[in-house]
Amino acid sequence: MARVVVDVMLKPEILDPQGRAVQGALGRLGLTGVADVRLGKQFIITIDGDVAGERLEQLHALAAELLSNPVIENYVLRVEADA
Amino acid sequence: MARVVVDVMLKPEILDPQGRAVQGALGRLGLTGVADVRLGKQFIITIDGDVAGERLEQLHALAAELLSNPVIENYVLRVEADA
C-alpha cells in the first residue's frame, strides 16, 4: 500500500485570483506582511502494491495530463511508502 | 521571508465525490489498484519576516477559520524557512 501525493499549482507567471482574494482577506483579518498567496490542489492517492518503474511513469503521465493542466499548471509528485 | 504551506483536506469520515470521480478516471485510464483518492487544497503563503510566537498562532487561527471549514475539513500548517 503506497500513498502518492500530487500537488498541482498554477505556474508562477499565471495570475491566481483566488490566491489574491485570500491574500486580501488575511490582511483584512489582521495578518500583516503577506506578500503572496497561491492556491493549489492536492491529490492523495492510495494505491495497492508498490509504485515504481512503469507504474510510476504511468502515474507521472496521468498527473501531467489528467490531474493538472500542463498549459497553466505545474505538478509535483511524491511517493510515500506507507499508506 | 517565510513560506507557510497550509494543506486543507476533507475529514476522513466525509465523503469526497471529487476524489471518487478522479479514482474512477484513473482506473478507466489504465491505472490499476487505486484504493482511494482524496482531493484537498493547498495554500502557499509568502510572508515577510519571521513566523513564530503570536504570528504563528494568528496563522493557525486563520487556517482553522478562514482557510478551512472546521466542520468538515482538517488542516496541516508547516512553515518553511525561506521563500
Side-chain angles (χ1 to χ4, degrees):
Chain A
M1 211 75 153
R3 194 179 131 105
V4 179
V5 180
V6 181
D7 294 329
V8 175
M9 191 61 61
L10 282 172
K11 292 184 180 182
E13 65 270 24
I14 305 282
L15 191 70
D16 182 351
Q18 277 190 292
R20 196 55 59 89
V22 171
Q23 184 180 353
L26 289 172
R28 284 192 300 280
L29 292 170
L31 187 70
T32 54
V34 180
D36 190 36
V37 177
R38 307 286 292 177
L39 180 52
K41 280 174 286 185
Q42 185 174 59
F43 298 85
I44 300 189
I45 302 168
T46 309
I47 193 163
D48 293 325
D50 273 353
V51 176
E54 203 183 318
R55 206 128 174 260
L56 186 56
E57 274 173 40
Q58 201 179 4
L59 266 167
H60 270 284
L62 289 166
E65 283 158 32
L66 175 73
L67 304 183
S68 68
N69 176 351
V71 177
I72 56 167
E73 291 171 327
N74 292 324
Y75 77 91
V76 178
L77 186 154
R78 65 179 184 277
V79 179
E80 298 174 358
D82 232 348
Chain B
M1 209 77 152
R3 192 178 132 105
V4 179
V5 180
V6 181
D7 294 328
V8 175
M9 189 63 60
L10 282 172
K11 292 185 180 180
E13 65 270 26
I14 307 282
L15 191 71
D16 182 350
Q18 278 189 291
R20 197 54 59 91
V22 171
Q23 183 180 352
L26 289 173
R28 284 193 298 280
L29 291 169
L31 187 70
T32 54
V34 179
D36 190 37
V37 177
R38 308 286 291 177
L39 180 52
K41 279 175 286 187
Q42 185 175 57
F43 298 85
I44 299 189
I45 303 168
T46 309
I47 193 163
D48 293 327
D50 273 352
V51 175
E54 202 183 318
R55 203 125 175 265
L56 186 57
E57 274 174 39
Q58 201 179 2
L59 265 166
H60 270 285
L62 289 166
E65 283 159 33
L66 175 73
L67 303 183
S68 67
N69 176 351
V71 178
I72 56 167
E73 292 171 327
N74 291 324
Y75 78 90
V76 177
L77 187 153
R78 65 180 184 277
V79 179
E80 298 175 357
D82 232 348

